[in-house]
Amino acid sequence: MTLTELKYIVAVARAKHFGHAAEACYVAQPTLSVAIKKLEDELGVVLFERGGAEISVTPLGAQIVAQAERVLEQTAAIKELAKQNKDPLAGPLRLGVIYTIGPYLLPPLVKGMIDKVPQMPLILQENFTVRLIEMLRQGELDAAIMALPLPEHGMAMQALYDEPFVVAMPSQHAWTKRRTIPADDLKTENMLLLGNGHCFRDQVLEVCPEMARFSAPGNGMQRTFEGSSLETIRHMVASGIGLTVLPRASVPDMDTKEGMLQFRPFDAPAPSRRVVIVWRKSFTRKAAIDAVCEVVAACNLPGVTPLCAGD
Protein backbone atom coordinates (compact mmCIF):
# COMPACT_ATOMS: atom_id res chain seq x y z
CA MET A 1 0.00 0.00 0.00
CA THR A 2 1.37 3.40 -0.97
CA LEU A 3 0.33 7.00 -0.33
CA THR A 4 -0.11 7.41 -4.09
CA GLU A 5 -2.68 4.59 -4.14
CA LEU A 6 -4.53 6.20 -1.24
CA LYS A 7 -4.53 9.51 -3.11
CA TYR A 8 -6.00 7.76 -6.16
CA ILE A 9 -8.89 6.10 -4.30
CA VAL A 10 -9.78 9.40 -2.61
CA ALA A 11 -9.82 11.14 -6.00
CA VAL A 12 -12.05 8.45 -7.55
CA ALA A 13 -14.44 8.53 -4.60
CA ARG A 14 -14.85 12.28 -5.03
CA ALA A 15 -15.04 12.37 -8.82
CA LYS A 16 -17.19 9.22 -9.17
CA HIS A 17 -15.32 8.76 -12.45
CA PHE A 18 -11.95 7.16 -13.20
CA GLY A 19 -11.12 9.51 -16.07
CA HIS A 20 -11.89 12.66 -14.10
CA ALA A 21 -9.98 11.34 -11.10
CA ALA A 22 -6.95 10.63 -13.29
CA GLU A 23 -7.08 14.20 -14.63
CA ALA A 24 -7.25 15.57 -11.07
CA CYS A 25 -4.19 13.48 -10.14
CA TYR A 26 -2.32 14.41 -13.34
CA VAL A 27 -1.83 10.77 -14.39
CA ALA A 28 -3.06 8.62 -17.25
CA GLN A 29 -6.29 6.72 -16.54
CA PRO A 30 -4.69 3.26 -17.05
CA THR A 31 -2.03 4.15 -14.44
CA LEU A 32 -4.69 5.09 -11.91
CA SER A 33 -6.90 2.08 -12.68
CA VAL A 34 -4.02 -0.40 -12.37
CA ALA A 35 -2.93 1.13 -9.04
CA ILE A 36 -6.45 0.92 -7.60
CA LYS A 37 -6.89 -2.68 -8.77
CA LYS A 38 -3.55 -3.54 -7.15
CA LEU A 39 -4.71 -2.02 -3.87
CA GLU A 40 -8.04 -3.88 -4.03
CA ASP A 41 -6.18 -7.16 -4.64
CA GLU A 42 -3.82 -6.45 -1.74
CA LEU A 43 -6.70 -5.69 0.62
CA GLY A 44 -8.93 -8.42 -0.75
CA VAL A 45 -11.91 -6.07 -1.05
CA VAL A 46 -13.83 -4.23 -3.75
CA LEU A 47 -13.66 -0.48 -3.21
CA PHE A 48 -15.71 0.67 -6.21
CA GLU A 49 -18.67 -0.72 -8.12
CA ARG A 50 -17.89 -0.33 -11.82
CA GLY A 51 -20.52 -0.02 -14.50
CA GLY A 52 -22.18 2.77 -16.43
CA ALA A 53 -20.92 6.30 -16.82
CA GLU A 54 -20.53 6.83 -13.06
CA ILE A 55 -18.96 4.52 -10.50
CA SER A 56 -20.04 4.23 -6.87
CA VAL A 57 -18.16 3.48 -3.65
CA THR A 58 -18.99 0.25 -1.82
CA PRO A 59 -19.95 0.57 1.89
CA LEU A 60 -16.59 -0.84 3.00
CA GLY A 61 -14.86 1.27 0.36
CA ALA A 62 -16.39 4.41 1.87
CA GLN A 63 -14.84 3.56 5.25
CA ILE A 64 -11.45 2.89 3.67
CA VAL A 65 -11.60 6.13 1.66
CA ALA A 66 -12.42 8.11 4.82
CA GLN A 67 -9.40 6.56 6.55
CA ALA A 68 -7.24 7.29 3.51
CA GLU A 69 -8.24 10.98 3.69
CA ARG A 70 -7.09 11.08 7.32
CA VAL A 71 -3.81 9.37 6.41
CA LEU A 72 -3.11 11.88 3.64
CA GLU A 73 -3.87 14.81 5.93
CA GLN A 74 -1.62 13.40 8.65
CA THR A 75 1.14 12.85 6.08
CA ALA A 76 0.94 16.53 5.21
CA ALA A 77 1.05 17.32 8.94
CA ILE A 78 4.29 15.33 9.32
CA LYS A 79 5.88 17.42 6.59
CA GLU A 80 4.72 20.58 8.31
CA LEU A 81 6.08 19.44 11.69
CA ALA A 82 9.48 18.97 10.08
CA LYS A 83 9.42 22.70 9.24
CA GLN A 84 8.53 23.90 12.74
CA ASN A 85 12.07 24.85 13.68
CA LYS A 86 12.60 26.71 10.42
CA ASP A 87 11.53 30.23 9.51
CA PRO A 88 7.78 29.98 8.69
CA LEU A 89 8.26 32.81 6.19
CA ALA A 90 11.09 31.04 4.37
CA GLY A 91 10.22 28.92 1.37
CA PRO A 92 7.30 28.89 -1.06
CA LEU A 93 3.65 29.14 -0.03
CA ARG A 94 1.27 27.16 -2.24
CA LEU A 95 -1.82 29.34 -2.52
CA GLY A 96 -5.07 28.56 -4.30
CA VAL A 97 -7.53 31.21 -5.50
CA ILE A 98 -10.96 30.85 -7.12
CA TYR A 99 -11.36 32.14 -10.68
CA THR A 100 -13.56 35.13 -9.81
CA ILE A 101 -11.04 36.50 -7.29
CA GLY A 102 -7.69 35.71 -8.90
CA PRO A 103 -7.56 38.27 -11.74
CA TYR A 104 -8.32 41.19 -9.40
CA LEU A 105 -6.54 40.20 -6.17
CA LEU A 106 -3.43 38.40 -7.42
CA PRO A 107 -1.60 41.27 -9.19
CA PRO A 108 -1.47 43.54 -6.09
CA LEU A 109 -1.11 40.54 -3.74
CA VAL A 110 1.92 39.12 -5.56
CA LYS A 111 3.58 42.54 -5.70
CA GLY A 112 2.86 43.15 -2.01
CA MET A 113 4.20 39.74 -0.99
CA ILE A 114 7.42 40.33 -2.95
CA ASP A 115 7.87 43.63 -1.11
CA LYS A 116 6.97 42.26 2.35
CA VAL A 117 8.34 38.70 2.33
CA PRO A 118 10.57 38.18 -0.73
CA GLN A 119 11.88 34.98 0.85
CA MET A 120 8.39 33.41 0.56
CA PRO A 121 7.41 33.19 -3.13
CA LEU A 122 3.82 32.27 -3.94
CA ILE A 123 3.06 29.17 -6.00
CA LEU A 124 -0.39 29.97 -7.35
CA GLN A 125 -3.27 27.73 -8.44
CA GLU A 126 -6.56 29.07 -9.81
CA ASN A 127 -9.46 26.63 -9.70
CA PHE A 128 -13.02 25.97 -8.56
CA THR A 129 -13.85 25.96 -4.84
CA VAL A 130 -14.47 22.21 -4.63
CA ARG A 131 -11.16 21.39 -6.33
CA LEU A 132 -9.19 23.79 -4.12
CA ILE A 133 -10.62 22.21 -0.96
CA GLU A 134 -9.68 18.79 -2.29
CA MET A 135 -6.12 19.99 -2.95
CA LEU A 136 -5.93 21.41 0.57
CA ARG A 137 -7.03 18.10 2.08
CA GLN A 138 -4.46 16.19 0.07
CA GLY A 139 -1.66 18.56 1.03
CA GLU A 140 -1.21 19.90 -2.51
CA LEU A 141 -1.97 23.45 -1.31
CA ASP A 142 -1.05 25.26 1.90
CA ALA A 143 -3.94 27.74 1.82
CA ALA A 144 -6.71 28.92 -0.49
CA ILE A 145 -8.65 32.16 -0.93
CA MET A 146 -12.35 31.58 -1.61
CA ALA A 147 -15.78 33.08 -1.02
CA LEU A 148 -18.45 31.98 1.44
CA PRO A 149 -20.48 29.85 1.65
CA LEU A 150 -18.17 26.84 1.48
CA PRO A 151 -18.96 23.12 1.59
CA GLU A 152 -18.11 21.36 4.85
CA HIS A 153 -14.33 21.35 5.13
CA GLY A 154 -13.19 21.14 8.79
CA MET A 155 -10.32 23.57 8.27
CA ALA A 156 -9.13 26.81 9.84
CA MET A 157 -10.51 29.97 8.28
CA GLN A 158 -9.97 33.74 8.48
CA ALA A 159 -12.17 36.41 6.88
CA LEU A 160 -10.29 38.74 4.52
CA TYR A 161 -12.83 41.22 3.18
CA ASP A 162 -16.46 41.84 2.28
CA GLU A 163 -17.12 42.68 -1.36
CA PRO A 164 -20.39 44.14 -2.71
CA PHE A 165 -21.77 43.25 -6.14
CA VAL A 166 -22.46 45.80 -8.87
CA VAL A 167 -24.50 45.80 -12.07
CA ALA A 168 -22.72 46.15 -15.43
CA MET A 169 -24.68 47.37 -18.47
CA PRO A 170 -24.07 48.68 -21.99
CA SER A 171 -23.46 52.44 -22.09
CA GLN A 172 -26.64 52.98 -24.09
CA HIS A 173 -28.88 51.14 -21.58
CA ALA A 174 -31.74 53.11 -20.03
CA TRP A 175 -30.59 52.20 -16.51
CA THR A 176 -27.50 54.39 -16.89
CA LYS A 177 -29.78 57.27 -15.82
CA ARG A 178 -30.29 55.60 -12.42
CA ARG A 179 -28.02 56.04 -9.42
CA THR A 180 -28.71 52.57 -7.98
CA ILE A 181 -30.42 49.38 -9.19
CA PRO A 182 -33.03 47.36 -7.23
CA ALA A 183 -32.04 43.68 -7.30
CA ASP A 184 -35.62 42.70 -8.11
CA ASP A 185 -35.47 44.63 -11.42
CA LEU A 186 -32.89 42.21 -12.83
CA LYS A 187 -35.60 39.65 -13.54
CA THR A 188 -36.88 41.83 -16.39
CA GLU A 189 -33.51 41.88 -18.21
CA ASN A 190 -31.43 39.52 -20.32
CA MET A 191 -28.74 38.38 -17.88
CA LEU A 192 -25.31 36.91 -18.59
CA LEU A 193 -24.03 34.40 -16.02
CA LEU A 194 -20.97 32.28 -15.40
CA GLY A 195 -21.37 28.59 -16.18
CA ASN A 196 -22.01 25.82 -13.69
CA GLY A 197 -19.19 25.16 -11.21
CA HIS A 198 -18.51 28.82 -10.41
CA CYS A 199 -19.58 29.76 -6.89
CA PHE A 200 -20.09 33.36 -8.06
CA ARG A 201 -22.85 32.11 -10.38
CA ASP A 202 -24.67 30.65 -7.35
CA GLN A 203 -24.25 33.91 -5.45
CA VAL A 204 -25.72 35.90 -8.36
CA LEU A 205 -28.68 33.51 -8.54
CA GLU A 206 -29.29 34.22 -4.85
CA VAL A 207 -29.55 37.92 -5.73
CA CYS A 208 -32.15 37.19 -8.41
CA PRO A 209 -33.59 33.66 -7.95
CA GLU A 210 -35.87 34.13 -10.95
CA MET A 211 -32.85 33.75 -13.24
CA ALA A 212 -32.36 30.15 -12.11
CA ARG A 213 -35.59 29.15 -13.83
CA PHE A 214 -34.40 30.48 -17.18
CA SER A 215 -30.87 29.09 -16.92
CA ALA A 216 -31.97 25.58 -15.93
CA PRO A 217 -31.55 22.79 -18.51
CA GLY A 218 -34.68 22.26 -20.58
CA ASN A 219 -35.93 25.84 -20.31
CA GLY A 220 -33.75 27.12 -23.13
CA MET A 221 -31.55 30.20 -22.94
CA GLN A 222 -34.10 32.78 -24.02
CA ARG A 223 -33.45 34.96 -20.99
CA THR A 224 -29.95 34.11 -19.78
CA PHE A 225 -26.62 33.33 -21.43
CA GLU A 226 -23.57 31.67 -19.87
CA GLY A 227 -19.88 32.53 -20.18
CA SER A 228 -16.65 30.88 -19.11
CA SER A 229 -15.15 33.92 -17.34
CA LEU A 230 -16.15 37.30 -15.99
CA GLU A 231 -14.00 39.03 -18.59
CA THR A 232 -15.75 37.17 -21.43
CA ILE A 233 -19.10 38.17 -19.99
CA ARG A 234 -17.94 41.78 -19.60
CA HIS A 235 -17.20 41.95 -23.36
CA MET A 236 -20.56 40.37 -24.17
CA VAL A 237 -22.32 43.02 -22.08
CA ALA A 238 -20.36 45.75 -23.88
CA SER A 239 -21.67 44.39 -27.20
CA GLY A 240 -25.24 44.96 -26.01
CA ILE A 241 -26.34 41.34 -25.44
CA GLY A 242 -27.53 41.94 -21.89
CA LEU A 243 -26.54 42.84 -18.33
CA THR A 244 -24.46 41.07 -15.69
CA VAL A 245 -23.48 41.23 -12.03
CA LEU A 246 -19.80 41.66 -11.15
CA PRO A 247 -17.79 41.64 -7.92
CA ARG A 248 -16.86 45.21 -6.98
CA ALA A 249 -13.08 44.59 -7.08
CA SER A 250 -13.36 43.86 -10.80
CA VAL A 251 -14.50 47.46 -11.45
CA PRO A 252 -11.66 49.96 -10.84
CA ASP A 253 -13.79 53.02 -11.71
CA MET A 254 -17.52 52.95 -11.01
CA ASP A 255 -17.97 56.51 -12.33
CA THR A 256 -16.43 56.04 -15.75
CA LYS A 257 -18.35 57.80 -18.53
CA GLU A 258 -16.17 56.49 -21.33
CA GLY A 259 -16.11 53.18 -23.14
CA MET A 260 -18.93 50.75 -23.81
CA LEU A 261 -19.81 49.81 -20.22
CA GLN A 262 -21.48 51.55 -17.30
CA PHE A 263 -21.64 50.31 -13.71
CA ARG A 264 -24.18 50.96 -10.97
CA PRO A 265 -24.39 49.82 -7.34
CA PHE A 266 -27.42 47.93 -6.03
CA ASP A 267 -29.98 49.53 -3.76
CA ALA A 268 -29.02 49.13 -0.10
CA PRO A 269 -28.51 46.66 1.35
CA ALA A 270 -26.34 45.66 -1.60
CA PRO A 271 -25.76 41.93 -2.15
CA SER A 272 -22.18 40.96 -1.36
CA ARG A 273 -19.81 38.09 -0.69
CA ARG A 274 -17.32 37.44 2.11
CA VAL A 275 -13.85 36.42 0.93
CA VAL A 276 -11.84 34.17 3.26
CA ILE A 277 -8.56 32.33 3.44
CA VAL A 278 -8.69 28.64 4.43
CA TRP A 279 -5.90 26.31 5.56
CA ARG A 280 -5.47 22.92 7.25
CA LYS A 281 -5.54 23.07 11.03
CA SER A 282 -2.32 21.03 11.01
CA PHE A 283 -0.50 23.68 8.94
CA THR A 284 2.20 25.07 11.23
CA ARG A 285 3.26 28.19 9.28
CA LYS A 286 0.63 30.50 10.77
CA ALA A 287 2.98 33.46 10.31
CA ALA A 288 2.77 32.84 6.55
CA ILE A 289 -1.05 33.04 6.69
CA ASP A 290 -0.79 36.25 8.73
CA ALA A 291 1.54 37.74 6.12
CA VAL A 292 -0.99 37.02 3.36
CA CYS A 293 -3.78 38.59 5.45
CA GLU A 294 -1.74 41.74 6.04
CA VAL A 295 -0.89 42.15 2.37
CA VAL A 296 -4.49 41.52 1.26
CA ALA A 297 -5.65 44.25 3.66
CA ALA A 298 -3.06 46.61 2.15
CA CYS A 299 -4.04 45.84 -1.47
CA ASN A 300 -6.73 48.57 -1.42
CA LEU A 301 -9.07 46.66 -3.67
CA PRO A 302 -11.76 49.05 -4.94
CA GLY A 303 -14.99 49.05 -2.96
CA VAL A 304 -14.18 46.22 -0.52
CA THR A 305 -14.20 46.31 3.28
CA PRO A 306 -11.03 44.72 4.78
CA LEU A 307 -11.69 42.42 7.74
CA CYS A 308 -8.20 41.13 8.53
CA ALA A 309 -4.86 42.82 8.99
CA GLY A 310 -3.07 39.77 10.39
CA ASP A 311 -2.08 39.12 14.00
Side-chain angles (χ1 to χ4, degrees):
M1 185 187 306
T2 66
L3 292 175
T4 298
E5 291 167 353
L6 298 183
K7 178 180 176 182
Y8 289 169
I9 66 171
V10 168
V12 171
R14 289 176 180 163
K16 300 286 194 299
H17 191 282
F18 279 90
H20 297 163
E23 291 176 6
C25 294
Y26 303 104
V27 297
Q29 182 175 336
T31 300
L32 179 137
S33 298
V34 168
I36 291 178
K37 185 64 170 63
K38 174 178 172 292
L39 180 60
E40 288 180 321
D41 291 343
E42 178 183 341
L43 297 176
V45 300
V46 175
L47 299 175
F48 303 105
E49 294 178 0
R50 283 83 164 170
E54 185 174 287
I55 64 100
S56 59
V57 187
T58 64
L60 179 58
Q63 297 179 49
I64 292 174
V65 167
Q67 185 64 38
E69 289 177 328
R70 290 190 285 270
V71 170
L72 291 172
E73 183 170 343
Q74 289 303 312
T75 301
I78 290 172
K79 294 179 180 179
E80 294 302 329
L81 286 172
K83 301 176 183 177
Q84 277 187 334
N85 293 326
K86 300 179 181 179
D87 181 359
L89 298 178
L93 181 74
R94 300 169 298 170
L95 181 67
V97 187
I98 60 173
Y99 291 117
T100 58
I101 292 177
Y104 318 111
L105 174 62
L106 288 181
L109 175 62
V110 171
K111 183 178 185 303
M113 294 297 288
I114 291 173
D115 293 341
K116 181 179 176 63
V117 280
Q119 73 275 29
M120 189 178 76
L122 296 179
I123 299 177
L124 301 169
Q125 168 74 238
E126 280 189 286
N127 219 309
F128 296 108
T129 297
V130 172
R131 176 60 181 142
L132 293 178
I133 290 178
E134 180 180 334
M135 295 177 75
L136 279 170
R137 285 176 172 152
Q138 295 186 1
E140 297 174 24
L141 289 176
D142 300 319
I145 296 176
M146 298 175 279
L148 298 180
L150 298 176
E152 181 62 34
H153 54 81
M155 299 187 192
M157 183 172 69
Q158 169 66 55
L160 294 176
Y161 56 85
D162 284 337
E163 179 178 27
F165 301 157
V166 300
V167 180
M169 64 194 74
S171 294
Q172 68 273 19
H173 197 280
W175 286 4
T176 58
K177 298 176 182 179
R178 300 184 183 184
R179 295 177 61 87
T180 60
I181 307 298
D184 196 51
D185 284 4
L186 295 181
K187 65 185 179 182
T188 66
E189 297 292 315
N190 288 336
M191 297 299 299
L192 283 72
L193 305 174
L194 285 172
N196 285 317
H198 290 275
C199 61
F200 188 70
R201 169 197 172 90
D202 300 330
Q203 292 158 359
V204 172
L205 290 177
E206 286 184 15
V207 175
C208 190
E210 292 85 356
M211 284 191 285
R213 176 166 62 91
F214 294 103
S215 63
N219 285 313
M221 300 302 291
Q222 65 270 41
R223 286 284 308 284
T224 62
F225 301 84
E226 297 184 357
S228 59
S229 73
L230 289 179
E231 294 310 303
T232 298
I233 288 176
R234 190 190 297 255
H235 288 293
M236 293 173 71
V237 171
S239 71
I241 294 175
L243 279 62
T244 195
V245 175
L246 297 174
R248 177 64 180 84
S250 70
V251 183
D253 182 8
M254 284 285 290
D255 300 320
T256 180
K257 302 299 182 191
E258 301 177 359
M260 302 174 68
L261 284 175
Q262 294 277 318
F263 308 96
R264 294 293 182 271
F266 281 94
D267 282 357
S272 64
R273 65 178 177 180
R274 174 156 292 183
V275 175
V276 300
I277 184 169
V278 178
W279 66 96
R280 292 184 306 281
K281 292 178 180 178
S282 59
F283 185 61
T284 59
R285 297 172 63 192
K286 182 57 168 58
I289 303 297
D290 292 341
V292 173
C293 291
E294 291 172 10
V295 174
V296 169
C299 282
N300 295 318
L301 295 177
V304 311
T305 303
L307 300 174
C308 172
D311 296 334

